[in-house]
Amino acid sequence: MRLSARPIAALLAALALTAGLSVTGTPAVARSADEPAAAEASDVSLAADTYTWKNARIDGGGFVPGIVFNRSEKNLAYARTDIGGAYRWDQAGKQWKPLLDWVDWDRWGWSGVASIASDTADPDNVYAAVGTYTNGWDPTNGAVLRSSDRGASWKAATLPFKIGGNMPGRGMGERLAVDPNKNSVLYLGAPSGKGLWRSTDSGVTWSEVTAFPNPGNYAQDPSDTSGYGNDNQGIVWVTFDERSGSAGSATQDIYVGVADKENTVYRSTDGGSTWSRIAGQPTGYLAHKGVLDSATGYLYLTLSDTGGPYDGGKGQIWRYDTESGAWADVSPVAVADTYHGFSGLSVDRQKPGTLMATAYSSWWPDTQLFRSTDSGATWTKAWDYTSYPNRANRYTLDVSSVPWLSWGANPSPPETAPKLGWMTESLEIDPFDSNRMMYGTGATVYGTENLTSWDSGGQFKITPMVKGLEETAVNDLASPPSGAPLLSALGDIGGFRHTDLDKVPAMMFTSPNLDSTTSLDFAETAPGTVVRVGNADAAPHIGFSTDNGANWFQGSEPSGVTGGGTVAAAADGSGFVWSPDGAAVHRTTGYGNSWTASTGIPAGATVESDRKNPKKFYGFKAGTFYVSTDGGATFTAKATGLPAEGNVRFKALPGSEGDIWLAGGASTGAYGLWRSTDSGTSFTKFSGVGQADSVGFGKAAAGAAYQTVFVSAKIGGVRGIFRSTDMGANWTRINDDAHQWAWTGAAITGDPRVHGRVYVSTNGRGIQVGESSGTDGGGTDPGPGTDPEEPPGEADCKVTYTVTNQWSGGFQAEVTVTNTGSAAYDGWQLGWSFPGDQKVTQMWNASYQQAGAKVTATNVGWNGKVAPGSSAGFGFTGTATGTGTEPAAFTLGGEACTVA
């Protein structure tokens, strides 16, 4: 990303959310600590349906501040993002697999990952320090998540302070580290002056290392009173010297980086009991990284005069000889000639003395990569000037798999398109393969598989290694009735026209290029006409298309506009209404050659159009609904008593005049879902919808007279993505606890051409696409293996069913399915019948259907493959009149399992 809209986007999210739940030591996939939330009194019935979920492919789109390779198992690597969760590398598919999609609405901040650590002693173990902001924007404290199955499932230890995955300094690290000799010991560097923390029980509990002398003192902007720029960046990395310990015995020599320009590196030589500042260290800089080459005994530091990830004007690289205690400045560029800091740092574990570093804050003309094969004595660069402005590159860069990375630019030398990147704070050489290297940028992950060609005088090939890592923040979505199925408004990279959801679009929207698109709309009866608005450093802030978003032209704008706001297109494309930041609501006919201020509506109102009557537009602000019947020239206040706080979003039903659904509010006031059938003169609240934040429409179910309604909402006490095929009389939750994506309140829309398909916005996990397994809008057949009248055979499976908690009217259970056969499962369905009146209310790590007493639990995508001798587990909460009682029998694919 070029400029971060993330603090603003997440702040808006925070303002719309209620306080989060605090969980310590409980399954991180569970929605609550000991009990589910009490169901709200409602006449809304909750059904079950099986949906499959995927991303509309964009590939990347955000900052990747950390990449971590496991040093004992080949091809095991993780990536962390600032707001979009963590990922594990899938070597077979050459793609990344998301690990934190289970993070729920109440703990949305846990989708920000400040650090990640992979256990060298036991590669099944992985840890993540999570939390998005250290100030009040994030309502919950941070946590250290721990997994013993490479991120397939997690448990959480909530911390007594916040963690800042999207705070200044987030590219430094890694803050979290596992002792390579005694893996029950972990260290965590805390922000905000909270010090150094240690766990001695594999991350279950944590305590402060009170002997550590320096909690840091550097803040990006001490004058900022928001708690963002003025936060003490704290302790920023921990590195072990594995030579000073042995298997089962704690490592004695530990190095810690501190955000303090005069005292940036500390060491313990007694396993963390005592600490001291290392004498002779460089001053005036912050050590972004500290990496030890155990083969040579050298500790390397990459230094910058700021904490990053955007800023940094001067930098150095230093080397510390851990044997002699001697320091050496091994910078590849004299400090007087730097205009950037250094950050990304890695050593080649196969070739002692070989290391690489990045000039992370070299925005123009490009970032720079440095490489040394003699422990920093001499360096070469990824590119050099020949005769300015021409450059000679040691690399080739092929972005054909993600072509939008060129940004559609055609710059003059020495700048190139695409660039090597910017904000390059993470760079890692594969510890098992000297030819493979990956590095993160503000927009993608780049990598190479022939790196050593650099040393032989050839060119190494760089390509995006980002497939599966979807990190865009989504502001608005539209699905026209013809043309491309999906148009998107995104933070940082503008937005895309998807003609194929499974392919990366060739280019983001251009002419104009907007830093962030805040709103878009199409003409309902003329969907070739599209308008979008957004944020940019200067005008224009608006663009128009007459070919369904394939090509764009810039529009003029009223005076005073500072940002995008919201925009609406007349149903027939004859005019537009725009409510920009910095100016009043305006209208235009044609394509914005001139604008006229609307009357009767306040500045900053949210605007939408009627989807049938081209003269009718709607607006909303601070609890009042506004209507125009003259193309947006004048508005009249209509309904009042609507939510006056929080974010409110509303949509008019396609093809029907005056049918409006409104979602939004805040927990401190009105909050929910309303409908008007008289063009906003009056609204009726849906009593069964406790909270709602976005609403949209899709193709009607077979035999239904009304379009399918989709909401991101809380219904029956459960947060999720819901749909209704009968105008809100009944709701079906269509996501599950493994697919929650933190915050989904910005936008939602169904597809008018495919029943059941829905597009869901996230704030960092891109555009989620849901596909229904049903064909008529109802639930699906539970499938084989759930009918007790069918005589089952015997399956190669063993089931352990444990009721882990009981309370009045409910219970929680954990289920483990073990493969006792000789062939792997490739997907599984476990069936059982409950005794009594037990009913599942929510399930994690599996999806479920229940018909009467019969239940079928089906694997989710990441736990469908179960090798012989291995197990898959899931859990659920349920209701019961008495106590939760174990079912007598289980079937897998229609055949009986052994019950443990």
mmCIF file with all atom_site columns, all heavy atoms in Angstrom, residues 488 494 509-514 517 519-521 530-534 541-544 552-553 567:
data_model
loop_
_atom_site.group_PDB
_atom_site.id
_atom_site.type_symbol
_atom_site.label_atom_id
_atom_site.label_alt_id
_atom_site.label_comp_id
_atom_site.label_asym_id
_atom_site.label_entity_id
_atom_site.label_seq_id
_atom_site.pdbx_PDB_ins_code
_atom_site.Cartn_x
_atom_site.Cartn_y
_atom_site.Cartn_z
_atom_site.occupancy
_atom_site.B_iso_or_equiv
_atom_site.pdbx_formal_charge
_atom_site.auth_seq_id
_atom_site.auth_comp_id
_atom_site.auth_asym_id
_atom_site.auth_atom_id
_atom_site.pdbx_PDB_model_num
ATOM 1   N N   . SER A 1 488 ? -15.720 -3.389 -7.122  1.00 0.00 ? 488 SER A N   1
ATOM 2   C CA  . SER A 1 488 ? -15.337 -3.187 -5.730  1.00 0.00 ? 488 SER A CA  1
ATOM 3   C C   . SER A 1 488 ? -14.704 -1.826 -5.522  1.00 0.00 ? 488 SER A C   1
ATOM 4   O O   . SER A 1 488 ? -14.053 -1.274 -6.409  1.00 0.00 ? 488 SER A O   1
ATOM 5   C CB  . SER A 1 488 ? -14.358 -4.281 -5.285  1.00 0.00 ? 488 SER A CB  1
ATOM 6   O OG  . SER A 1 488 ? -13.191 -4.291 -6.098  1.00 0.00 ? 488 SER A OG  1
ATOM 7   N N   . GLY A 1 494 ? -7.659  1.232  -4.664  1.00 0.00 ? 494 GLY A N   1
ATOM 8   C CA  . GLY A 1 494 ? -8.732  1.745  -5.511  1.00 0.00 ? 494 GLY A CA  1
ATOM 9   C C   . GLY A 1 494 ? -9.919  0.832  -5.693  1.00 0.00 ? 494 GLY A C   1
ATOM 10  O O   . GLY A 1 494 ? -10.995 1.103  -5.204  1.00 0.00 ? 494 GLY A O   1
ATOM 11  N N   . PHE A 1 509 ? -8.861  0.147  -11.039 1.00 0.00 ? 509 PHE A N   1
ATOM 12  C CA  . PHE A 1 509 ? -9.471  1.273  -11.721 1.00 0.00 ? 509 PHE A CA  1
ATOM 13  C C   . PHE A 1 509 ? -8.430  2.382  -11.894 1.00 0.00 ? 509 PHE A C   1
ATOM 14  O O   . PHE A 1 509 ? -7.702  2.734  -10.966 1.00 0.00 ? 509 PHE A O   1
ATOM 15  C CB  . PHE A 1 509 ? -10.641 1.829  -10.906 1.00 0.00 ? 509 PHE A CB  1
ATOM 16  C CG  . PHE A 1 509 ? -11.768 0.858  -10.676 1.00 0.00 ? 509 PHE A CG  1
ATOM 17  C CD1 . PHE A 1 509 ? -12.430 0.823  -9.459  1.00 0.00 ? 509 PHE A CD1 1
ATOM 18  C CD2 . PHE A 1 509 ? -12.180 -0.001 -11.678 1.00 0.00 ? 509 PHE A CD2 1
ATOM 19  C CE1 . PHE A 1 509 ? -13.480 -0.041 -9.240  1.00 0.00 ? 509 PHE A CE1 1
ATOM 20  C CE2 . PHE A 1 509 ? -13.226 -0.887 -11.468 1.00 0.00 ? 509 PHE A CE2 1
ATOM 21  C CZ  . PHE A 1 509 ? -13.883 -0.910 -10.249 1.00 0.00 ? 509 PHE A CZ  1
ATOM 22  N N   . THR A 1 510 ? -8.378  2.942  -13.086 1.00 0.00 ? 510 THR A N   1
ATOM 23  C CA  . THR A 1 510 ? -7.476  4.064  -13.364 1.00 0.00 ? 510 THR A CA  1
ATOM 24  C C   . THR A 1 510 ? -8.264  5.181  -14.035 1.00 0.00 ? 510 THR A C   1
ATOM 25  O O   . THR A 1 510 ? -9.429  5.012  -14.389 1.00 0.00 ? 510 THR A O   1
ATOM 26  C CB  . THR A 1 510 ? -6.315  3.631  -14.282 1.00 0.00 ? 510 THR A CB  1
ATOM 27  O OG1 . THR A 1 510 ? -6.845  3.117  -15.506 1.00 0.00 ? 510 THR A OG1 1
ATOM 28  C CG2 . THR A 1 510 ? -5.474  2.550  -13.612 1.00 0.00 ? 510 THR A CG2 1
ATOM 29  N N   . SER A 1 511 ? -7.602  6.319  -14.211 1.00 0.00 ? 511 SER A N   1
ATOM 30  C CA  . SER A 1 511 ? -8.206  7.498  -14.872 1.00 0.00 ? 511 SER A CA  1
ATOM 31  C C   . SER A 1 511 ? -9.523  7.905  -14.231 1.00 0.00 ? 511 SER A C   1
ATOM 32  O O   . SER A 1 511 ? -10.564 7.862  -14.877 1.00 0.00 ? 511 SER A O   1
ATOM 33  C CB  . SER A 1 511 ? -8.408  7.225  -16.365 1.00 0.00 ? 511 SER A CB  1
ATOM 34  O OG  . SER A 1 511 ? -7.203  6.961  -17.007 1.00 0.00 ? 511 SER A OG  1
ATOM 35  N N   . PRO A 1 512 ? -9.529  8.284  -12.994 1.00 0.00 ? 512 PRO A N   1
ATOM 36  C CA  . PRO A 1 512 ? -8.369  8.573  -12.164 1.00 0.00 ? 512 PRO A CA  1
ATOM 37  C C   . PRO A 1 512 ? -7.951  7.385  -11.300 1.00 0.00 ? 512 PRO A C   1
ATOM 38  O O   . PRO A 1 512 ? -8.745  6.495  -11.025 1.00 0.00 ? 512 PRO A O   1
ATOM 39  C CB  . PRO A 1 512 ? -8.874  9.707  -11.269 1.00 0.00 ? 512 PRO A CB  1
ATOM 40  C CG  . PRO A 1 512 ? -10.334 9.355  -11.071 1.00 0.00 ? 512 PRO A CG  1
ATOM 41  C CD  . PRO A 1 512 ? -10.785 8.780  -12.389 1.00 0.00 ? 512 PRO A CD  1
ATOM 42  N N   . ASN A 1 513 ? -6.686  7.410  -10.887 1.00 0.00 ? 513 ASN A N   1
ATOM 43  C CA  . ASN A 1 513 ? -6.204  6.507  -9.838  1.00 0.00 ? 513 ASN A CA  1
ATOM 44  C C   . ASN A 1 513 ? -6.528  7.141  -8.496  1.00 0.00 ? 513 ASN A C   1
ATOM 45  O O   . ASN A 1 513 ? -6.116  8.271  -8.220  1.00 0.00 ? 513 ASN A O   1
ATOM 46  C CB  . ASN A 1 513 ? -4.684  6.313  -9.941  1.00 0.00 ? 513 ASN A CB  1
ATOM 47  C CG  . ASN A 1 513 ? -4.299  5.432  -11.102 1.00 0.00 ? 513 ASN A CG  1
ATOM 48  O OD1 . ASN A 1 513 ? -4.402  5.834  -12.254 1.00 0.00 ? 513 ASN A OD1 1
ATOM 49  N ND2 . ASN A 1 513 ? -3.843  4.236  -10.813 1.00 0.00 ? 513 ASN A ND2 1
ATOM 50  N N   . LEU A 1 514 ? -7.279  6.427  -7.678  1.00 0.00 ? 514 LEU A N   1
ATOM 51  C CA  . LEU A 1 514 ? -7.619  6.920  -6.344  1.00 0.00 ? 514 LEU A CA  1
ATOM 52  C C   . LEU A 1 514 ? -6.877  6.095  -5.309  1.00 0.00 ? 514 LEU A C   1
ATOM 53  O O   . LEU A 1 514 ? -6.792  4.866  -5.430  1.00 0.00 ? 514 LEU A O   1
ATOM 54  C CB  . LEU A 1 514 ? -9.131  6.828  -6.110  1.00 0.00 ? 514 LEU A CB  1
ATOM 55  C CG  . LEU A 1 514 ? -10.019 7.624  -7.077  1.00 0.00 ? 514 LEU A CG  1
ATOM 56  C CD1 . LEU A 1 514 ? -11.497 7.329  -6.809  1.00 0.00 ? 514 LEU A CD1 1
ATOM 57  C CD2 . LEU A 1 514 ? -9.756  9.113  -6.949  1.00 0.00 ? 514 LEU A CD2 1
ATOM 58  N N   . THR A 1 517 ? -10.933 4.043  -2.847  1.00 0.00 ? 517 THR A N   1
ATOM 59  C CA  . THR A 1 517 ? -12.279 4.319  -3.333  1.00 0.00 ? 517 THR A CA  1
ATOM 60  C C   . THR A 1 517 ? -13.235 4.134  -2.166  1.00 0.00 ? 517 THR A C   1
ATOM 61  O O   . THR A 1 517 ? -13.216 3.096  -1.499  1.00 0.00 ? 517 THR A O   1
ATOM 62  C CB  . THR A 1 517 ? -12.659 3.383  -4.491  1.00 0.00 ? 517 THR A CB  1
ATOM 63  O OG1 . THR A 1 517 ? -11.730 3.566  -5.555  1.00 0.00 ? 517 THR A OG1 1
ATOM 64  C CG2 . THR A 1 517 ? -14.058 3.682  -4.990  1.00 0.00 ? 517 THR A CG2 1
ATOM 65  N N   . SER A 1 519 ? -16.773 4.830  -2.360  1.00 0.00 ? 519 SER A N   1
ATOM 66  C CA  . SER A 1 519 ? -18.149 4.509  -2.738  1.00 0.00 ? 519 SER A CA  1
ATOM 67  C C   . SER A 1 519 ? -18.220 4.345  -4.247  1.00 0.00 ? 519 SER A C   1
ATOM 68  O O   . SER A 1 519 ? -17.489 5.014  -4.989  1.00 0.00 ? 519 SER A O   1
ATOM 69  C CB  . SER A 1 519 ? -19.087 5.636  -2.281  1.00 0.00 ? 519 SER A CB  1
ATOM 70  O OG  . SER A 1 519 ? -20.410 5.432  -2.715  1.00 0.00 ? 519 SER A OG  1
ATOM 71  N N   . LEU A 1 520 ? -19.091 3.448  -4.698  1.00 0.00 ? 520 LEU A N   1
ATOM 72  C CA  . LEU A 1 520 ? -19.350 3.324  -6.134  1.00 0.00 ? 520 LEU A CA  1
ATOM 73  C C   . LEU A 1 520 ? -20.797 2.916  -6.343  1.00 0.00 ? 520 LEU A C   1
ATOM 74  O O   . LEU A 1 520 ? -21.453 2.383  -5.455  1.00 0.00 ? 520 LEU A O   1
ATOM 75  C CB  . LEU A 1 520 ? -18.387 2.353  -6.807  1.00 0.00 ? 520 LEU A CB  1
ATOM 76  C CG  . LEU A 1 520 ? -18.269 0.903  -6.335  1.00 0.00 ? 520 LEU A CG  1
ATOM 77  C CD1 . LEU A 1 520 ? -19.405 0.022  -6.861  1.00 0.00 ? 520 LEU A CD1 1
ATOM 78  C CD2 . LEU A 1 520 ? -16.942 0.308  -6.806  1.00 0.00 ? 520 LEU A CD2 1
ATOM 79  N N   . ASP A 1 521 ? -21.299 3.174  -7.556  1.00 0.00 ? 521 ASP A N   1
ATOM 80  C CA  . ASP A 1 521 ? -22.672 2.819  -7.879  1.00 0.00 ? 521 ASP A CA  1
ATOM 81  C C   . ASP A 1 521 ? -22.787 2.670  -9.383  1.00 0.00 ? 521 ASP A C   1
ATOM 82  O O   . ASP A 1 521 ? -21.974 3.204  -10.155 1.00 0.00 ? 521 ASP A O   1
ATOM 83  C CB  . ASP A 1 521 ? -23.634 3.906  -7.377  1.00 0.00 ? 521 ASP A CB  1
ATOM 84  C CG  . ASP A 1 521 ? -25.091 3.449  -7.354  1.00 0.00 ? 521 ASP A CG  1
ATOM 85  O OD1 . ASP A 1 521 ? -25.325 2.218  -7.419  1.00 0.00 ? 521 ASP A OD1 1
ATOM 86  O OD2 . ASP A 1 521 ? -25.984 4.309  -7.262  1.00 0.00 ? 521 ASP A OD2 1
ATOM 87  N N   . VAL A 1 530 ? -21.358 3.620  -14.636 1.00 0.00 ? 530 VAL A N   1
ATOM 88  C CA  . VAL A 1 530 ? -20.827 3.393  -13.302 1.00 0.00 ? 530 VAL A CA  1
ATOM 89  C C   . VAL A 1 530 ? -20.125 4.666  -12.844 1.00 0.00 ? 530 VAL A C   1
ATOM 90  O O   . VAL A 1 530 ? -19.498 5.376  -13.644 1.00 0.00 ? 530 VAL A O   1
ATOM 91  C CB  . VAL A 1 530 ? -19.832 2.215  -13.274 1.00 0.00 ? 530 VAL A CB  1
ATOM 92  C CG1 . VAL A 1 530 ? -19.425 1.883  -11.837 1.00 0.00 ? 530 VAL A CG1 1
ATOM 93  C CG2 . VAL A 1 530 ? -20.418 0.979  -13.942 1.00 0.00 ? 530 VAL A CG2 1
ATOM 94  N N   . VAL A 1 531 ? -20.206 4.958  -11.551 1.00 0.00 ? 531 VAL A N   1
ATOM 95  C CA  . VAL A 1 531 ? -19.523 6.107  -10.969 1.00 0.00 ? 531 VAL A CA  1
ATOM 96  C C   . VAL A 1 531 ? -18.780 5.639  -9.718  1.00 0.00 ? 531 VAL A C   1
ATOM 97  O O   . VAL A 1 531 ? -19.242 4.730  -9.023  1.00 0.00 ? 531 VAL A O   1
ATOM 98  C CB  . VAL A 1 531 ? -20.517 7.237  -10.632 1.00 0.00 ? 531 VAL A CB  1
ATOM 99  C CG1 . VAL A 1 531 ? -21.566 6.780  -9.620  1.00 0.00 ? 531 VAL A CG1 1
ATOM 100 C CG2 . VAL A 1 531 ? -19.805 8.493  -10.126 1.00 0.00 ? 531 VAL A CG2 1
ATOM 101 N N   . ARG A 1 532 ? -17.642 6.225  -9.449  1.00 0.00 ? 532 ARG A N   1
ATOM 102 C CA  . ARG A 1 532 ? -16.903 5.914  -8.220  1.00 0.00 ? 532 ARG A CA  1
ATOM 103 C C   . ARG A 1 532 ? -16.273 7.191  -7.693  1.00 0.00 ? 532 ARG A C   1
ATOM 104 O O   . ARG A 1 532 ? -15.924 8.103  -8.461  1.00 0.00 ? 532 ARG A O   1
ATOM 105 C CB  . ARG A 1 532 ? -15.822 4.852  -8.456  1.00 0.00 ? 532 ARG A CB  1
ATOM 106 C CG  . ARG A 1 532 ? -14.767 5.245  -9.461  1.00 0.00 ? 532 ARG A CG  1
ATOM 107 C CD  . ARG A 1 532 ? -13.779 4.108  -9.753  1.00 0.00 ? 532 ARG A CD  1
ATOM 108 N NE  . ARG A 1 532 ? -12.938 4.405  -10.906 1.00 0.00 ? 532 ARG A NE  1
ATOM 109 C CZ  . ARG A 1 532 ? -11.749 4.997  -10.859 1.00 0.00 ? 532 ARG A CZ  1
ATOM 110 N NH1 . ARG A 1 532 ? -11.237 5.333  -9.684  1.00 0.00 ? 532 ARG A NH1 1
ATOM 111 N NH2 . ARG A 1 532 ? -11.069 5.225  -11.950 1.00 0.00 ? 532 ARG A NH2 1
ATOM 112 N N   . VAL A 1 533 ? -16.124 7.260  -6.378  1.00 0.00 ? 533 VAL A N   1
ATOM 113 C CA  . VAL A 1 533 ? -15.495 8.408  -5.735  1.00 0.00 ? 533 VAL A CA  1
ATOM 114 C C   . VAL A 1 533 ? -14.530 7.892  -4.683  1.00 0.00 ? 533 VAL A C   1
ATOM 115 O O   . VAL A 1 533 ? -14.645 6.767  -4.195  1.00 0.00 ? 533 VAL A O   1
ATOM 116 C CB  . VAL A 1 533 ? -16.535 9.346  -5.079  1.00 0.00 ? 533 VAL A CB  1
ATOM 117 C CG1 . VAL A 1 533 ? -17.422 9.986  -6.125  1.00 0.00 ? 533 VAL A CG1 1
ATOM 118 C CG2 . VAL A 1 533 ? -17.379 8.597  -4.045  1.00 0.00 ? 533 VAL A CG2 1
ATOM 119 N N   . GLY A 1 534 ? -13.552 8.741  -4.336  1.00 0.00 ? 534 GLY A N   1
ATOM 120 C CA  . GLY A 1 534 ? -12.583 8.284  -3.360  1.00 0.00 ? 534 GLY A CA  1
ATOM 121 C C   . GLY A 1 534 ? -11.628 9.356  -2.934  1.00 0.00 ? 534 GLY A C   1
ATOM 122 O O   . GLY A 1 534 ? -11.781 10.538 -3.252  1.00 0.00 ? 534 GLY A O   1
ATOM 123 N N   . HIS A 1 541 ? -11.488 13.509 -7.579  1.00 0.00 ? 541 HIS A N   1
ATOM 124 C CA  . HIS A 1 541 ? -11.913 12.509 -6.617  1.00 0.00 ? 541 HIS A CA  1
ATOM 125 C C   . HIS A 1 541 ? -13.076 11.676 -7.151  1.00 0.00 ? 541 HIS A C   1
ATOM 126 O O   . HIS A 1 541 ? -13.703 10.936 -6.400  1.00 0.00 ? 541 HIS A O   1
ATOM 127 C CB  . HIS A 1 541 ? -12.356 13.177 -5.312  1.00 0.00 ? 541 HIS A CB  1
ATOM 128 C CG  . HIS A 1 541 ? -11.259 13.912 -4.598  1.00 0.00 ? 541 HIS A CG  1
ATOM 129 N ND1 . HIS A 1 541 ? -10.934 15.224 -4.850  1.00 0.00 ? 541 HIS A ND1 1
ATOM 130 C CD2 . HIS A 1 541 ? -10.398 13.509 -3.626  1.00 0.00 ? 541 HIS A CD2 1
ATOM 131 C CE1 . HIS A 1 541 ? -9.926  15.613 -4.077  1.00 0.00 ? 541 HIS A CE1 1
ATOM 132 N NE2 . HIS A 1 541 ? -9.577  14.595 -3.321  1.00 0.00 ? 541 HIS A NE2 1
ATOM 133 N N   . ILE A 1 542 ? -13.343 11.775 -8.454  1.00 0.00 ? 542 ILE A N   1
ATOM 134 C CA  . ILE A 1 542 ? -14.497 11.090 -9.038  1.00 0.00 ? 542 ILE A CA  1
ATOM 135 C C   . ILE A 1 542 ? -14.161 10.610 -10.443 1.00 0.00 ? 542 ILE A C   1
ATOM 136 O O   . ILE A 1 542 ? -13.408 11.262 -11.172 1.00 0.00 ? 542 ILE A O   1
ATOM 137 C CB  . ILE A 1 542 ? -15.739 12.021 -9.056  1.00 0.00 ? 542 ILE A CB  1
ATOM 138 C CG1 . ILE A 1 542 ? -16.992 11.260 -9.500  1.00 0.00 ? 542 ILE A CG1 1
ATOM 139 C CG2 . ILE A 1 542 ? -15.502 13.271 -9.900  1.00 0.00 ? 542 ILE A CG2 1
ATOM 140 C CD1 . ILE A 1 542 ? -18.288 12.031 -9.247  1.00 0.00 ? 542 ILE A CD1 1
ATOM 141 N N   . GLY A 1 543 ? -14.692 9.456  -10.797 1.00 0.00 ? 543 GLY A N   1
ATOM 142 C CA  . GLY A 1 543 ? -14.516 8.908  -12.131 1.00 0.00 ? 543 GLY A CA  1
ATOM 143 C C   . GLY A 1 543 ? -15.822 8.291  -12.622 1.00 0.00 ? 543 GLY A C   1
ATOM 144 O O   . GLY A 1 543 ? -16.650 7.843  -11.831 1.00 0.00 ? 543 GLY A O   1
ATOM 145 N N   . PHE A 1 544 ? -15.976 8.282  -13.966 1.00 0.00 ? 544 PHE A N   1
ATOM 146 C CA  . PHE A 1 544 ? -17.172 7.738  -14.586 1.00 0.00 ? 544 PHE A CA  1
ATOM 147 C C   . PHE A 1 544 ? -16.777 6.687  -15.621 1.00 0.00 ? 544 PHE A C   1
ATOM 148 O O   . PHE A 1 544 ? -15.693 6.735  -16.214 1.00 0.00 ? 544 PHE A O   1
ATOM 149 C CB  . PHE A 1 544 ? -17.969 8.839  -15.300 1.00 0.00 ? 544 PHE A CB  1
ATOM 150 C CG  . PHE A 1 544 ? -18.499 9.900  -14.393 1.00 0.00 ? 544 PHE A CG  1
ATOM 151 C CD1 . PHE A 1 544 ? -17.789 11.071 -14.175 1.00 0.00 ? 544 PHE A CD1 1
ATOM 152 C CD2 . PHE A 1 544 ? -19.719 9.742  -13.752 1.00 0.00 ? 544 PHE A CD2 1
ATOM 153 C CE1 . PHE A 1 544 ? -18.275 12.065 -13.336 1.00 0.00 ? 544 PHE A CE1 1
ATOM 154 C CE2 . PHE A 1 544 ? -20.216 10.726 -12.905 1.00 0.00 ? 544 PHE A CE2 1
ATOM 155 C CZ  . PHE A 1 544 ? -19.494 11.896 -12.702 1.00 0.00 ? 544 PHE A CZ  1
ATOM 156 N N   . TRP A 1 552 ? -12.470 4.223  -17.820 1.00 0.00 ? 552 TRP A N   1
ATOM 157 C CA  . TRP A 1 552 ? -12.927 5.325  -16.990 1.00 0.00 ? 552 TRP A CA  1
ATOM 158 C C   . TRP A 1 552 ? -12.448 6.662  -17.537 1.00 0.00 ? 552 TRP A C   1
ATOM 159 O O   . TRP A 1 552 ? -11.454 6.737  -18.270 1.00 0.00 ? 552 TRP A O   1
ATOM 160 C CB  . TRP A 1 552 ? -12.401 5.168  -15.557 1.00 0.00 ? 552 TRP A CB  1
ATOM 161 C CG  . TRP A 1 552 ? -12.938 3.966  -14.857 1.00 0.00 ? 552 TRP A CG  1
ATOM 162 C CD1 . TRP A 1 552 ? -12.452 2.687  -14.943 1.00 0.00 ? 552 TRP A CD1 1
ATOM 163 C CD2 . TRP A 1 552 ? -14.070 3.913  -13.998 1.00 0.00 ? 552 TRP A CD2 1
ATOM 164 N NE1 . TRP A 1 552 ? -13.219 1.845  -14.174 1.00 0.00 ? 552 TRP A NE1 1
ATOM 165 C CE2 . TRP A 1 552 ? -14.211 2.562  -13.574 1.00 0.00 ? 552 TRP A CE2 1
ATOM 166 C CE3 . TRP A 1 552 ? -14.971 4.864  -13.519 1.00 0.00 ? 552 TRP A CE3 1
ATOM 167 C CZ2 . TRP A 1 552 ? -15.225 2.156  -12.716 1.00 0.00 ? 552 TRP A CZ2 1
ATOM 168 C CZ3 . TRP A 1 552 ? -15.975 4.468  -12.649 1.00 0.00 ? 552 TRP A CZ3 1
ATOM 169 C CH2 . TRP A 1 552 ? -16.102 3.128  -12.259 1.00 0.00 ? 552 TRP A CH2 1
ATOM 170 N N   . PHE A 1 553 ? -13.181 7.708  -17.173 1.00 0.00 ? 553 PHE A N   1
ATOM 171 C CA  . PHE A 1 553 ? -12.706 9.064  -17.450 1.00 0.00 ? 553 PHE A CA  1
ATOM 172 C C   . PHE A 1 553 ? -12.951 9.908  -16.215 1.00 0.00 ? 553 PHE A C   1
ATOM 173 O O   . PHE A 1 553 ? -13.864 9.654  -15.422 1.00 0.00 ? 553 PHE A O   1
ATOM 174 C CB  . PHE A 1 553 ? -13.386 9.668  -18.679 1.00 0.00 ? 553 PHE A CB  1
ATOM 175 C CG  . PHE A 1 553 ? -14.885 9.663  -18.648 1.00 0.00 ? 553 PHE A CG  1
ATOM 176 C CD1 . PHE A 1 553 ? -15.595 10.757 -18.170 1.00 0.00 ? 553 PHE A CD1 1
ATOM 177 C CD2 . PHE A 1 553 ? -15.608 8.567  -19.129 1.00 0.00 ? 553 PHE A CD2 1
ATOM 178 C CE1 . PHE A 1 553 ? -16.978 10.764 -18.149 1.00 0.00 ? 553 PHE A CE1 1
ATOM 179 C CE2 . PHE A 1 553 ? -16.995 8.564  -19.117 1.00 0.00 ? 553 PHE A CE2 1
ATOM 180 C CZ  . PHE A 1 553 ? -17.684 9.656  -18.624 1.00 0.00 ? 553 PHE A CZ  1
ATOM 181 N N   . VAL A 1 567 ? -21.638 8.275  -3.225  1.00 0.00 ? 567 VAL A N   1
ATOM 182 C CA  . VAL A 1 567 ? -22.158 8.712  -4.509  1.00 0.00 ? 567 VAL A CA  1
ATOM 183 C C   . VAL A 1 567 ? -23.271 7.773  -4.937  1.00 0.00 ? 567 VAL A C   1
ATOM 184 O O   . VAL A 1 567 ? -23.285 6.595  -4.565  1.00 0.00 ? 567 VAL A O   1
ATOM 185 C CB  . VAL A 1 567 ? -21.028 8.761  -5.567  1.00 0.00 ? 567 VAL A CB  1
ATOM 186 C CG1 . VAL A 1 567 ? -20.562 7.359  -5.947  1.00 0.00 ? 567 VAL A CG1 1
ATOM 187 C CG2 . VAL A 1 567 ? -21.441 9.554  -6.796  1.00 0.00 ? 567 VAL A CG2 1
#
